[in-house]
C-alpha cells in the first residue's frame, strides 16, 4: 500500500501551475503512483510515467462512473453537478454503458463527416487570418484572433448550433474545466444545459444536415437510441469539453515552436514532409490535456506494483507520459522529426478521444495556413494568462507579430 501522506505539488515545485513537468519528473523518479494535493485539504492519487498511465487507462478497477460510484470517493467531494442533467455522456460511463453510447455517437461522428469539414475549416481559417492581417501595427493575439473563434465556429457548425454568445460560451467552458467556485460552476452548467435543451427541442421540430439533428434521430440495428438526457449530455460534451482541448493544442503547440526557432524554421522550409510529425510532437511535448478525467478506485487497484486503495480518486498525468525517458529519447527536447505517435494526449483504450481526427485536421490546416500566409510569424512577448487546473494546460493570450 502507498504512503497515505500526500505530497503538496506546490511545495514540490512552486511554479507547478505554469510548469508542472519538473514536479512530475521528481515524482516519477520515486514511483508510478503518489497521493498528492495542491491545497493541503483535498487529495487524490496521481499516476505518472508512460507505462503506468497506459495501465491505469484500462484498469478494470478504475471507474469513470461518478454517478454510480461517487459515494465511494475519498479525498475529494463528489461534484454536485453530476446529479444534474447533462452528465449522462460517455466520458462519465464505463462499459457496457460507455460501449453503447460511443457506438451510437460514432455512427454519426464518422471520418467521412469530419473530412467533409476540411474545405469549410480552410475558408474560415483564411477569413480569420484576413481579419487579423488588417491590424495596422502587424501584431495581435493568436487566441482571440484565430484559435478560439475557429474552434468555436467549427464545433457549432458541426452540431448545428446557431450564433452563440462567445463571452457566455467561454465562461461556460472555463468553469467546466477550471471551476472558480462551486456556485459559479453550477451556474455555468445550468446556463449551458438550458441553451442546449432549447436547441434540441428546436431541431426535433426542424432538423438540419448537422450532427445534432442526426444524433436526435439515429437508431442502431437493434432499435436503440440516445435518451433525452444522453442526447443533451453528448451535445454538452462535444460543445464544451471538445472545444477547450483543441484550443489548448493549437496554442501550446505554436508556443512550443516559438520557443524552438530552429524547429519553426525547419517546418517553414519543409511543411509537406514535416507537418504531420510536427502535429504529433506538439501533442506529445505539451499535452493540451494535463490529466485525465478523474477515476474512482472501486477496489484496491494495483498499478505497476503500487496499490491505490478502494475509494481513491485517480488522475492520470497524460502530460507526464509524453515526457517519460523510458518511452522517449530526450523527452524534454522538442523535435518535429521525432515521429511522436504513441503519446497519450488523446487518452488510451476504450476512452480514446472520439474527436482526435477533427483536432488533428484543424491543427494541420491552421498551422499550414499560418506558415504560408505569415512568413514572418513570431512571438510578440511570452504567453500569458495560463489557466491550470490539473486537467487542462491552456494559454489565454498568445501575442504574435508578423
Amino acid at each position: 500500500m502507498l504512503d497515505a501522506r500526500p505530497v503538496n505539488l506546490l511545495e514540490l515545485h512552486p511554479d507547478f501551475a505554469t510548469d508542472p513537468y519538473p514536479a512530475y519528473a521528481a515524482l516519477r523518479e520515486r514511483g508510478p503512483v503518489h497521493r498528492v494535493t495542491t491545497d493541503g485539504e483535498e487529495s487524490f492519487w496521481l499516476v505518472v510515467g508512460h507505462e503506468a498511465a497506459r495501465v491505469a487507462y484500462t484498469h478494470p478497477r478504475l471507474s469513470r462512473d461518478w454517478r454510480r460510484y461517487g459515494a465511494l470517493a475519498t479525498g475529494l467531494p463528489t461534484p454536485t453537478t453530476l446529479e444534474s442533467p447533462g452528465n449522462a455522456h460517455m466520458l462519465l460511463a464505463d462499459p457496457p454503458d460507455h460501449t453503447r453510447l460511443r457506438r451510437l455517437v460514432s455512427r454519426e461522428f464518422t471520418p467521412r463527416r469530419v473530412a467533409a469539414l476540411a474545405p469549410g475549416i480552410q475558408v474560415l481559417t483564411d477569413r480569420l487570418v484576413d481579419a487579423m492581417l488588417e491590424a495596422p501595427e502587424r501584431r495581435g493575439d493568436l487566441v482571440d484572433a484565430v484559435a478560439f473563434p475557429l474552434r468555436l465556429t467549427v464545433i457549432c457548425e458541426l452540431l448545428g448550433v446557431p450564433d452563440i454568445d462567445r463571452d457566455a460560451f467561454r465562461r461556460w467552458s472555463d468553469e467546466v474545466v477550471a471551476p472558480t467556485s462551486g456556485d459559479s460552476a453550477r451556474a455555468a452548467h445550468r446556463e449551458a444545459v438550458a441553451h442546449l435543451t432549447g436547441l434540441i427541442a428546436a431541431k426535433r421540430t426542424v432538423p438540419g444536415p448537422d450532427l445534432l439533428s442526426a444524433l436526435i434521430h439515429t437508431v442502431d440495428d437493434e432499435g436503440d437510441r440516445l435518451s433525452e438526457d444522453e442526447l443533451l449530455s453528448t451535445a454538452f460534451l462535444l460543445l464544451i469539453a471538445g472545444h477547450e482541448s483543441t484550443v489548448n493544442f493549437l496554442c501550446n503547440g505554436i508556443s512550443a515552436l516559438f520557443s524552438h526557432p530552429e524547429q519553426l524554421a525547419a517546418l517553414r522550409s519543409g511543411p509537406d514532409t514535416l507537418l504531420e510529425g510536427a502535429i504529433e510532437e506538439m501533442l506529445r511535448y505539451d499535452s493540451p490535456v494535463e490529466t485525465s478525467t478523474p477515476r474512482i478506485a472501486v477496489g484496491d487497484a494495483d498499478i505497476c506494483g503500487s496499490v491505490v486503495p478502494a475509494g481513491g480518486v485517480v488522475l492520470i498525468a497524460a502530460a507526464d507520459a509524453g515526457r517519460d525517458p523510458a518511452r522517449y529519447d530526450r523527452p524534454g527536447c522538442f523535435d518535429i522529426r521525432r515521429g511522436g505517435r504513441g503519446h497519450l494526449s488523446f487518452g488510451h483504450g476504450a476512452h480514446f478521444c472520439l474527436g482526435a481526427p477533427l483536432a488533428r485536421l484543424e491543427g494541420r490546416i491552421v498551422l499550414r495556413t499560418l506558415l504560408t500566409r505569415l512568413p514572418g510569424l513570431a512571438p510578440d512577448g511570452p504567453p500569458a494568462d495560463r489557466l491550470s487546473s490539473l486537467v487542462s494546460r491552456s494559454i489565454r493570450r498568445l501575442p504574435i507579430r508578423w
Side-chain angles (χ1 to χ4, degrees):
M1 195 68 69
L2 297 170
D3 190 339
R5 294 171 297 177
V7 175
N8 191 313
L9 293 172
L10 296 177
E11 293 178 0
L12 188 63
H13 185 63
D15 295 326
F16 178 82
T18 55
D19 182 14
Y21 293 107
Y24 289 151
L27 290 174
R28 193 183 342 107
E29 286 294 317
R30 304 179 192 177
V33 185
H34 304 269
R35 189 181 176 205
V36 298
T37 183
T38 55
D39 59 12
E41 296 179 3
E42 299 179 346
S43 64
F44 49 88
W45 300 91
L46 184 69
V47 178
V48 290
H50 190 275
E51 182 57 29
R54 283 175 57 91
V55 170
Y57 271 120
T58 58
H59 201 293
R61 290 190 175 180
L62 297 184
S63 171
R64 281 195 177 188
D65 194 340
W66 278 77
R67 284 184 161 188
R68 180 175 300 173
Y69 297 113
L72 299 177
T74 59
L76 290 176
T78 301
T80 56
T81 54
L82 285 173
E83 300 304 321
S84 306
N87 285 303
H89 52 68
M90 55 188 164
L91 198 62
L92 297 175
D94 299 328
D97 295 334
H98 170 270
T99 308
R100 170 184 165 270
L101 290 169
R102 188 174 179 111
R103 183 182 68 246
L104 286 168
V105 175
S106 62
R107 286 176 66 91
E108 301 299 338
F109 197 42
T110 61
R112 177 177 294 182
R113 187 185 285 273
V114 171
L117 295 171
I121 294 173
Q122 184 65 67
V123 169
L124 175 59
T125 303
D126 285 332
R127 188 185 309 147
L128 292 170
V129 171
D130 286 341
M132 187 173 67
L133 290 176
E134 292 178 2
E137 65 276 16
R138 299 180 65 83
R139 53 170 40 103
D141 173 21
L142 190 64
V143 178
D144 280 341
V146 178
F148 176 76
L150 174 78
R151 181 55 176 170
L152 176 60
T153 302
V154 169
I155 198 65
C156 285
E157 289 186 358
L158 175 65
L159 287 172
V161 179
D163 290 341
I164 193 170
D165 185 323
R166 288 187 178 182
D167 290 337
F169 178 86
R170 178 169 279 187
R171 180 166 49 80
W172 299 341
S173 180
D174 287 351
E175 286 294 335
V176 167
V177 174
T180 56
S181 72
D183 289 342
S184 296
R186 285 187 287 271
H189 188 90
R190 284 195 302 271
E191 290 176 24
V193 164
H195 182 88
L196 289 170
T197 300
L199 179 63
I200 289 170
K203 292 206 171 284
R204 286 194 185 280
T205 304
V206 185
D210 52 82
L211 176 60
L212 188 53
S213 294
L215 290 173
I216 290 171
H217 298 285
T218 190
V219 180
D220 70 9
D221 296 337
E222 298 176 358
D224 190 18
R225 64 194 316 151
L226 295 172
S227 70
E228 195 69 20
D229 194 16
E230 290 167 349
L231 179 62
L232 171 64
S233 301
T234 298
F236 184 90
L237 175 65
L238 293 173
L239 183 63
I240 303 294
H243 152 80
E244 179 76 19
S245 57
T246 302
V247 174
N248 297 350
F249 155 48
L250 292 171
C251 295
N252 290 351
I254 291 170
S255 178
L257 285 168
F258 286 161
S259 300
H260 299 81
E262 76 290 350
Q263 298 290 308
L264 178 58
L267 184 57
R268 278 198 179 107
S269 65
D272 291 339
T273 57
L274 294 177
L275 185 60
E276 292 292 335
I279 293 295
E280 300 308 316
E281 182 69 349
M282 288 159 62
L283 287 161
R284 179 204 69 85
Y285 181 77
D286 200 2
S287 174
V289 178
E290 188 170 337
T291 62
S292 66
T293 302
R295 288 158 164 80
I296 305 167
V298 297
D300 291 353
D302 187 319
I303 302 172
C304 296
S306 297
V307 179
V308 176
V313 177
V314 177
L315 294 180
I316 304 167
D320 179 67
R323 297 288 188 99
D324 187 349
R327 174 64 178 81
Y328 297 101
D329 181 42
R330 299 176 300 118
C333 182
F334 182 74
D335 181 4
I336 61 175
R337 295 180 176 86
R338 180 188 299 273
R341 283 191 180 270
H343 59 77
L344 303 180
S345 294
F346 290 124
H348 174 65
H351 284 280
F352 184 83
C353 180
L354 194 64
L358 178 57
R360 285 184 166 116
L361 174 64
E362 290 172 327
R364 289 193 297 269
I365 290 174
V366 169
L367 197 53
R368 184 182 290 275
T369 301
L370 292 175
L371 292 171
T372 302
R373 300 194 55 190
L374 282 73
L377 179 67
D380 192 32
D385 298 340
R386 267 205 180 272
L387 179 67
S388 182
S389 64
L390 283 173
V391 175
S392 170
R393 279 188 56 73
S394 60
I395 295 171
R396 285 299 180 263
R397 289 194 300 117
L398 186 56
I400 59 170
R401 54 185 172 82
W402 54 88

